C-alpha cells in the first residue's frame, strides 16, 4: 500500500492503517466502515461520501462529513459496495468491499472496519485520473470469517496510480467477474388476476446452451439461483404444463414482485431471454424467505396455544441465530431464511411438560411435526427442515403479502433524559408515499400498528420547534436499544431510511390474522367486517372437531379480553342434500359452536346462533350445478359477526 504524495518525492509507505474487529452479535448484520481523512499530513474535513450497492447499481448513501475529519458508515453484511470520496482539494477515489460470499452464520456477526485515508492532492499532475475513475484504488474482500485486503489487486492498483509505473501482471486487461445470486417469481396472468406458477420446473441456460441450474418454483411462484455470472446466462426456460394456460400471459417479476417481462403463452414450454438488463433486475444477493407457524400444547383430549413464549431458530450447527416470541395465538414468524440452508425450530424443553406435547402447525393449521428431541442432554425440543422445495418447508413458507408488522420506537434529544413529545412522525414506504402518521407521547414513544410488511422510512416534522438541537436526535427501539443517531436540520422536515437490521429492531412481524385486529384500540369504535372461517364438521355431523377447536379458541380469547363485544354465529352448508335438511343441519352446527363458547366461559347472552343452510353460496355451486369437492368446500363455512354492545 502507498502514501498518496506528489510523485517527485514519492516513498512507499502504508496508505491505509486498517483495523479489523469481529464482534459476535446474533442479529447485528452490520458492517461498520470508519475512516479518518488526511491530506498532506493534516486532517481533512468537508469530504463528500457516496455509497453504491453494486448489485442494485444504486446509491444508498450520499452525504458530507461537514466539519469532521472522520466518518462512520453502517452497511448490511452480505453485499458488495463501492465507497466514493471527493473534495475540491483531492483526486476523487473509490474503494470496493466484496462481501457477497459470506456464509449464513457470518451474516449475523458485526464487523468493524477502520482505516486512515491519506488522499492524493489534486496538485499532483502525474496521476492517472482515467484509471482512478474506472478502478477501485483499494479492495477489501471477505475471506475465512474475516475481511482482509485483496493484496494481489491492491498491489497492482498502487502501481497504476501514476502514469509511468506499471507491473507485468496487468489487471487492466482483465475483466473482474463477480458471481451474483438472482431471484424472482413467475405468475400466470388472466385478465387483471395474477396467480403464482406453483411447483414448476425452470432451467437457467448458459450462453453455451447447456443447463446452468434446474430448479422448481415454490408455493409462492418464487425461484432462486446462486453464484451466477452475468455474462454466462442466456435463457430461462419454464415448463408450464397446464394446457389451459395457453393464451394467457406469463409474468416474470423480481424478488420484490416488480414486473420485468410479460410473455404470451403459446405453448407449454416458454423461453425468456435473460439479457444484461433483465439479469441485473433479478440480482438479489440477500434473497431470503419468511417462514411461520403456530405451536400448540396438546394432549389426547385438549388443545391450548403455546402463547407468548420464546421460540428459537437454529442453524445446522444448532446455534441460535434468531429468537422471537409467539403471539397470543401461539403464532410466530422468522425472516432471513436462506435458500437451501438447514434450520431447526426450537423451544425450551421445560416449557412443555407431560402429558402435553408441542405440535407445530402452519398458519392454516396444517400439521408440520411434533417439536421433540431424542437427545435428552439438550434443553431444547426441535423440529428440523431444509429451506428448499419439500412439503415441510412449503407449508411453513409465508408470502410477504400476508405479513403485517407493528413498528415501535422512541425519540430523544441528545440523551434519554430528554424525550421528544408531540413530534409528528410519518411512516413512508419505498415509493416515498406516506402510509400513516402518529404523534409521539410524553415519553417520546410512537407506534404504527397492523401495517403491511414493507421497507419503510420515517419522516419527522417539527413545526413547534420541539427539537432543542440542530444536530442530533436519538432513535431508540421500544426495548431501549439505540438504533440510530440522526443528524437533523432544525425546523425542517427530514426523511431517513433504515438498514434491514435497524428496521428489525423497531418492527414486530407476524402473519396476518383478522382476530388479532381486535387487540388494536383503533378498531374498537369502527364497523367490523364479518370474519369467515372454514370450520369443518364430519359429514352430516355437528360435533366440534379438534381442528375446529384451534380456530374457536382464538375467538374465545378475543371475547374474554373484550367484553364490550357480542358475537353472531352464522353457519352455512353446501348445496348437496335438500334445502330443508341443510337448513336444519346448519342450525345444529351454529348451536354447537355457541354451546362450545358457553362451555369455555363466554356469557350466553352475548351469543346469537343462526343456521342459513345453502342460502348464500360464495360461488356458482347451487342446486343442480356440477362442482368439485374443493368448490363445495368454499360454501361450507361459519361466519362470525362481531359487534359492539
Amino acid at each position: 500500500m502507498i502514501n498518496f504524495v506528489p510523485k517527485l518525492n514519492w516513498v512507499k509507505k502504508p496508505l491505509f492503517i486498517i483495523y479489523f474487529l469481529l464482534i459476535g452479535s446474533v442479529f447485528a448484520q452490520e458492517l461498520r466502515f470508519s475512516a479518518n481523512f488526511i491530506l498532506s499530513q493534516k486532517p481533512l474535513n468537508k469530504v463528500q461520501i457516496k455509497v453504491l450497492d453494486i448489485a442494485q447499481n444504486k446509491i444508498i448513501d450520499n452525504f458530507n462529513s461537514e466539519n469532521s475529519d472522520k466518518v462512520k458508515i453502517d452497511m448490511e453484511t452480505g453485499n458488495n459496495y463501492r465507497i466514493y470520496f471527493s473534495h475540491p482539494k483531492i483526486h476523487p477515489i473509490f474503494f470496493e468491499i466484496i462481501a457477497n460470499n459470506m456464509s449464513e452464520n457470518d451474516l449475523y456477526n458485526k464487523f468493524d472496519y477502520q482505516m486512515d485515508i491519506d488522499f492524493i492532492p489534486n496538485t499532483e499532475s502525474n496521476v492517472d485520473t482515467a484509471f482512478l475513475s474506472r478502478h477501485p484504488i483499494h479492495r477489501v474482500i471477505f475471506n475465512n470469517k474475516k475481511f482482509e485486503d485483496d493484496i494481489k489487486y491492491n498491489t497492482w492498483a498502487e502501481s497504476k496510480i501514476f502514469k509511468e509505473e506499471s507491473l507485468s501482471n496487468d489487471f487492466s486487461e482483465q475483466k473482474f467477474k463477480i458471481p451474483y445470486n438472482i431471484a424472482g417469481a413467475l405468475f400466470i396472468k388472466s385478465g387483471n388476476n395474477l396467480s403464482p406458477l406453483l411447483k414448476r420446473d425452470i432451467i437457467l441456460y448458459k450462453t453455451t446452451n447447456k443447463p446452468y441450474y434446474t430448479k422448481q418454483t415454490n408455493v409462492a411462484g418464487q425461484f432462486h439461483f446462486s453464484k451466477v455470472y452475468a455474462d454466462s446466462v442466456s435463457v430461462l426456460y419454464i415448463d408450464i404444463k397446464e394446457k389451459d394456460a395457453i393464451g394467457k400471459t406469463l409474468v416474470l417479476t423480481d424478488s420484490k414482485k416488480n414486473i420485468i417481462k410479460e410473455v404470451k403463452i403459446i405453448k407449454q414450454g416458454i423461453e425468456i431471454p435473460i439479457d444484461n438488463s433483465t439479469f441485473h433486475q433479478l440480482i438479489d444477493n440477500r434473497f431470503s424467505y419468511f417462514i411461520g407457524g403456530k405451536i400448540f400444547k396438546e394432549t389426547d383430549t385438549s388443545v391450548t396455544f403455546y402463547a407468548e413464549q420464546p421460540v428459537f431458530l437454529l442453524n445446522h450447527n444448532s446455534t441460535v441465530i434468531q429468537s422471537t416470541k409467539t403471539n397470543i395465538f401461539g403464532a410466530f414468524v422468522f425472516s432471513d431464511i436462506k435458500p437451501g440452508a438447514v434450520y431447526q425450530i426450537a423451544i425450551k424443553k421445560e416449557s412443555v411438560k407431560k402429558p402435553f406435547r408441542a405440535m407445530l402447525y402452519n398458519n392454516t393449521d396444517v400439521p408440520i411435526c411434533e417439536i421433540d428431541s431424542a437427545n435428552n442432554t439438550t434443553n431444547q425440543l426441535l423440529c428440523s427442515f431444509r429451506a428448499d422445495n419439500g412439503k415441510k418447508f412449503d407449508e411453513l413458507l409465508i408470502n410477504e403479502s400476508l405479513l403485517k408488522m407493528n413498528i415501535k420506537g422512541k425519540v430523544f434529544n441528545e440523551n434519554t433524559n430528554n424525550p421528544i413529545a408531540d413530534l409528528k412522525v410519518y411512516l413512508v414506504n419505498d415509493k416515498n408515499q406516506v402510509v400513516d402518521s402518529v404523534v409521539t407521547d410524553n415519553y417520546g414513544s410512537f407506534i404504527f400498528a397492523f401495517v403491511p410488511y414493507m421497507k419503510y422510512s420515517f419522516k419527522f416534522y417539527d413545526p413547534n420547534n420541539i427539537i432543542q438541537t440542530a444536530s442530533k436526535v436519538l432513535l431508540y427501539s421500544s426495548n431501549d436499544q439505540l438504533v440510530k443517531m440522526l443528524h437533523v436540520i432544525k425546523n425542517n422536515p427530514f426523511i431517513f431510511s433504515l438498514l434491514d437490521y435497524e428496521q428489525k429492531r423497531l418492527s414486530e412481524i407476524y402473519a396476518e390474522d383478522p382476530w388479532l385486529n381486535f387487540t388494536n384500540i383503533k378498531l374498537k369504535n369502527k364497523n367490523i367486517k364479518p370474519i369467515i372461517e372454514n370450520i369443518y364438521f364430519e359429514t352430516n355431523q355437528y360435533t366440534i372437531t379438534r381442528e375446529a377447536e384451534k380456530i374457536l379458541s382464538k375467538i374465545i380469547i378475543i371475547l374474554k379480553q373484550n367484553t364490550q363485544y357480542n358475537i353472531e354465529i352464522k353457519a352455512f352448508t353446501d348445496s348437496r342434500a335438500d334445502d330443508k335438511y341443510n337448513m336444519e343441519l346448519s342450525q345444529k352446527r351454529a348451536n354447537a359452536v355457541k354451546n362450545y363458547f358457553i362451555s369455555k366461559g363466554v356469557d350466553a347472552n352475548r351469543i346469537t346462533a343462526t343456521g342459513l343452510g345453502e342460502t348464500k353460496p360464495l360461488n356458482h355451486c347451487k342446486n343442480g350445478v356440477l362442482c368439485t369437492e374443493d368448490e363445495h368446500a368454499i360454501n361450507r363455512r361459519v361466519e362470525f359477526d362481531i359487534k359492539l354492545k
Side-chain angles (χ1 to χ4, degrees), residues 198-213:
L198 312 179
K199 311 295 286 183
R200 291 293 173 261
D201 291 334
I202 60 175
I203 304 172
L204 187 65
Y205 278 95
K206 297 181 179 180
T207 52
T208 58
N209 294 325
K210 292 182 179 180
Y212 212 132
Y213 292 106

Side-chain angles (χ1 to χ4, degrees), residues 540-599:
N540 298 323
Q541 299 297 312
Y542 47 90
T543 302
I544 301 296
T545 64
R546 290 286 296 276
E547 289 71 24
E549 283 187 62
K550 296 181 179 68
I551 298 172
L552 299 180
S553 295
K554 293 194 296 185
I555 307 171
I556 291 167
I557 289 174
I558 295 302
L559 292 174
K560 286 185 175 182
Q561 288 183 349
N562 301 274
T563 55
Q564 74 273 28
Y565 292 136
N566 287 340
I567 187 167
E568 182 177 2
I569 303 163
K570 300 176 182 178
F572 299 87
T573 67
D574 60 41
S575 61
R576 292 176 292 189
D578 64 64
D579 294 0
K580 181 180 178 182
Y581 176 85
N582 283 336
M583 187 66 74
E584 293 173 350
L585 179 62
S586 65
Q587 186 62 57
K588 291 176 181 177
R589 289 176 173 174
N591 290 340
V593 173
K594 176 180 178 178
N595 292 333
Y596 183 82
F597 286 164
I598 294 171
S599 73

